[in-house]
Amino acid sequence: MASNGIPSVVESLRKSFQSGRTRPLGWREGQLSALIKMLKEREGEFTQALTKDLGKPQFESFTAELAFVIQEAVLSRKNLRKWARPEKVSTPLVAQPGKSEVRKDPLGVTLVIGAWNYPVQLTLAPLIGAIAAGNCAVVKPSEVAAHTSALLAKLVPLYLDQECIRIVEGAIQETTELLDQKWDLIFYTGNGNVAKVIMAAATKNLTPVVLELGGKSPCIVDSDADVTLAARRIAWGKFYNAGQTCTAPDYVLVKDSVEAEFVDGLKGAIREFYGDNPKKSPDFARIVNQRHHQRVRRLIDGSGEVALGGEADEADRYIAPTVLRNVKADAPVMAEEIFGPVLPVLKVKETDEAIEFVNSRPKPLALYLFTRSSQTQEKVVTRTSSGGVCVNHTILHVANPNLPFGGVGASGMGAYHGKASFDVFTHKKSVMSKPNWIDPGFIYPPYTEGKFGLVKKLI
Ligand code: NAD
């Protein structure tokens, strides 16, 4: 898009919003239906784009991108009228007679900035919230997943209302220009460094922000866990999309007494999932680009003993599912979010040591705990802070639309999915309505002792 196009796009969306076009629930339901139709009719094109961008296995494209978004849209369309209904609340004695309610107002013209690792889900799932709540939206897909970005720019205008919903493609220059505009909400998914740029830009107009970030999501494996099953479930969550998942298990803290059994379990699971040569498996994705390939490769070097994997082929953007053993807390691989198919395993002696380790680092997006003990479960869940927790599995909590999804501290602010998506794009407007037939005088000056006494009795 020509750079002078951005202000006029935003201006035209603002006019549409002010005209009331997005307010009727019928318009919102119609747009959600059109979104579902687009994903169903164009499934093949989306799958192809995702293969080109990330070598995404078809199964993963379907489950985590297309089906995920369709389910969100169906749920939202089904519940929209209930969620949008004003909520009547009681009115206290001092304000009687009167009626009070909470209205669900759309925020206005919103900006959604997506990341590359789930380029369909991370753009369209927030858009569902924006539409359901009655907003206009500009969606800026990540330029890093270029094929998917181009496809969204081609298809969205064919299905959705262009007066209210626009795709703007681009990289830093275009995003910077978008951030110069006035928005009613900025919904950003990506890394914490860029989040600071987003938040700084938002301060200019006091624009609220939702920041969906990442971090190093730990797994804690206790000695009383089903260790082999834990290894299988961790391997699945880690190597799904070749580790390029914001909630992927980043590292494992395992009780030293079961470490060897756990590493054996990982090896067995990786062989079961991807065969003896994962490079040949159609079920193992690729690293998104050379820059990230080199970054992940560097993290493997000098970070401990390679127990499995370690092979890489830059031309194919391939990095083998890799397990690192005897990793030190200060190793390079422990210094940043890995975001690739490399799993460091660290030994701990006690559950308390694992809790302290997690609590001494920035708050993660997800925490995974493997134990049979409900006491340990309660202890770890209560004493740690993370965006979410999944006990005895990985990632699956994200697939429950009844659980709000979002980070805390360094892993972000604000949450969405299901009703939370509607809520995060909604302003809860308090409305009190008073009748004219009576006007109790005790609230007005002069504040006599009698009035003061009455107020004290009422409160
Ligand atoms: P990315 O490179 O695609 O960047 C995200 C968005 O920010 C893109 O649209 C990009 O154009 C824009 N951007 C980049 N630099 C910018 C700048 N200087 N100014 C303005 N905009 C800019 O994605 P990424 O940041 O590499 O994504 C990976 C990170 O995102 C990881 O930390 C991951 O954990 C996190 N993530 C979080 C979630 C979540 O839902 N919480 C989901 C996916 C990824």
Side-chain angles (χ1 to χ4, degrees), residues 113-117 122 140-144 170-172 175 179 188-191 194 197 212-215 246 292 337 339 365 405:
I113 302 175
W116 53 264
N117 55 330
L122 300 175
K140 212 293 289 173
S142 172
E143 72 284 11
V144 179
I172 295 182
T175 315
L179 291 171
Y188 166 80
T189 303
N191 70 71
V194 174
V197 175
E212 299 289 341
L213 314 178
C246 54
H292 279 284
E337 181 181 357
F339 227 55
L365 185 57
F405 173 66

Side-chain angles (χ1 to χ4, degrees), residues 38-160:
M38 173 179 84
L39 291 168
K40 288 189 171 167
E41 284 182 357
R42 307 295 185 132
E43 181 185 333
E45 285 170 73
F46 277 110
T47 308
Q48 248 177 22
L50 290 163
T51 304
K52 284 184 188 154
D53 284 330
L54 287 143
K56 229 177 239 243
Q58 202 178 342
F59 187 89
E60 293 182 12
S61 288
F62 184 75
T63 51
E65 303 262 22
L66 305 175
F68 182 94
V69 176
I70 291 170
Q71 280 173 351
E72 279 279 317
V74 168
L75 181 90
S76 198
R77 188 180 55 184
K78 181 169 162 231
N79 290 290
L80 186 51
R81 287 180 188 262
K82 188 169 74 194
W83 295 343
R85 207 176 291 146
E87 280 167 32
K88 297 221 178 310
V89 294
S90 64
T91 304
L93 216 50
V94 279
Q96 286 288 355
K99 286 184 186 155
S100 303
E101 66 178 14
V102 180
R103 295 277 190 108
K104 314 293 177 64
D105 262 8
L107 289 170
V109 182
T110 61
L111 172 63
V112 173
I113 302 175
W116 53 264
N117 55 330
Y118 290 87
V120 176
Q121 186 200 128
L122 300 175
T123 45
L124 298 186
L127 179 61
I128 288 167
I131 293 171
N135 298 277
C136 288
V138 167
V139 177
K140 212 293 289 173
S142 172
E143 72 284 11
V144 179
H147 295 94
T148 311
S149 173
L151 186 64
L152 287 166
K154 181 182 114 181
L155 295 183
V156 167
L158 302 179
Y159 286 84
L160 300 185

Side-chain angles (χ1 to χ4, degrees), residues 98-413:
K99 286 184 186 155
S100 303
E101 66 178 14
V102 180
R103 295 277 190 108
K104 314 293 177 64
D105 262 8
L107 289 170
V109 182
T110 61
L111 172 63
V112 173
I113 302 175
W116 53 264
N117 55 330
Y118 290 87
V120 176
Q121 186 200 128
L122 300 175
T123 45
L124 298 186
L127 179 61
I128 288 167
I131 293 171
N135 298 277
C136 288
V138 167
V139 177
K140 212 293 289 173
S142 172
E143 72 284 11
V144 179
H147 295 94
T148 311
S149 173
L151 186 64
L152 287 166
K154 181 182 114 181
L155 295 183
V156 167
L158 302 179
Y159 286 84
L160 300 185
D161 183 353
Q162 277 295 275
E163 309 268 312
C164 305
I165 298 156
R166 298 291 285 266
I167 302 286
V168 172
E169 284 195 88
I172 295 182
Q173 191 196 327
E174 291 78 6
T175 315
T176 306
E177 198 173 350
L178 282 168
L179 291 171
D180 273 344
Q181 313 305 310
K182 187 176 183 319
W183 303 98
D184 296 299
L185 176 77
I186 302 174
F187 189 110
Y188 166 80
T189 303
N191 70 71
N193 289 330
V194 174
K196 291 176 189 163
V197 175
I198 307 288
M199 210 164 172
T203 57
K204 198 173 60 177
N205 293 306
L206 292 180
T207 305
V209 289
V210 175
L211 302 175
E212 299 289 341
L213 314 178
K216 292 182 82 64
S217 296
C219 298
I220 300 173
V221 181
D222 213 326
S223 49
D224 68 357
D226 182 330
V227 175
T228 306
L229 186 64
R232 190 168 192 250
R233 292 175 172 181
I234 291 171
W236 172 74
K238 178 73 197 189
F239 300 113
Y240 197 92
N241 203 28
Q244 300 163 112
T245 302
C246 54
T247 46
D250 188 273
Y251 63 93
V252 182
L253 300 170
V254 58
K255 283 269 179 79
D256 50 8
S257 57
V258 293
E259 192 258 1
E261 185 187 348
F262 177 71
V263 171
D264 279 349
L266 285 174
K267 290 180 182 170
I270 292 168
R271 212 168 295 119
E272 176 198 339
F273 296 162
Y274 309 113
D276 286 332
N277 184 0
K279 200 175 179 189
K280 292 202 175 128
S281 166
D283 300 326
F284 186 66
R286 293 298 184 260
I287 304 300
V288 71
N289 59 23
Q290 278 189 333
R291 182 170 66 83
H292 279 284
H293 192 275
Q294 287 165 5
R295 183 187 60 77
V296 178
R297 275 286 301 132
R298 271 199 302 273
L299 294 180
I300 300 176
D301 298 333
S303 279
E305 168 198 328
V306 177
L308 184 77
E311 304 86 8
D313 176 353
E314 195 170 315
D316 187 26
R317 290 184 278 134
Y318 170 77
I319 294 181
T322 298
V323 177
L324 300 176
R325 213 171 168 182
N326 296 321
V327 175
K328 299 246 159 54
D330 58 357
V333 78
M334 292 303 293
E336 61 178 89
E337 181 181 357
I338 300 167
F339 227 55
V342 179
L343 185 63
V345 178
L346 290 82
K347 285 189 257 190
V348 287
K349 288 196 168 58
E350 301 296 336
T351 313
D352 282 347
E353 190 187 336
I355 292 173
E356 272 161 36
F357 190 95
V358 171
N359 287 346
S360 68
R361 293 170 164 250
K363 294 180 181 179
L365 185 57
L367 182 142
Y368 303 113
L369 169 66
F370 294 83
T371 177
R372 285 192 175 95
S373 151
S374 52
Q375 268 168 320
T376 306
Q377 230 177 78
E378 197 46 41
K379 181 173 169 179
V380 173
V381 173
T382 310
R383 284 183 43 196
T384 57
S385 178
S386 59
V389 176
C390 189
V391 178
N392 289 324
H393 217 308
T394 59
I395 303 187
L396 284 175
H397 63 300
V398 182
N400 181 354
N402 302 314
L403 291 173
F405 173 66
V408 57
S411 54
M413 59 183 76

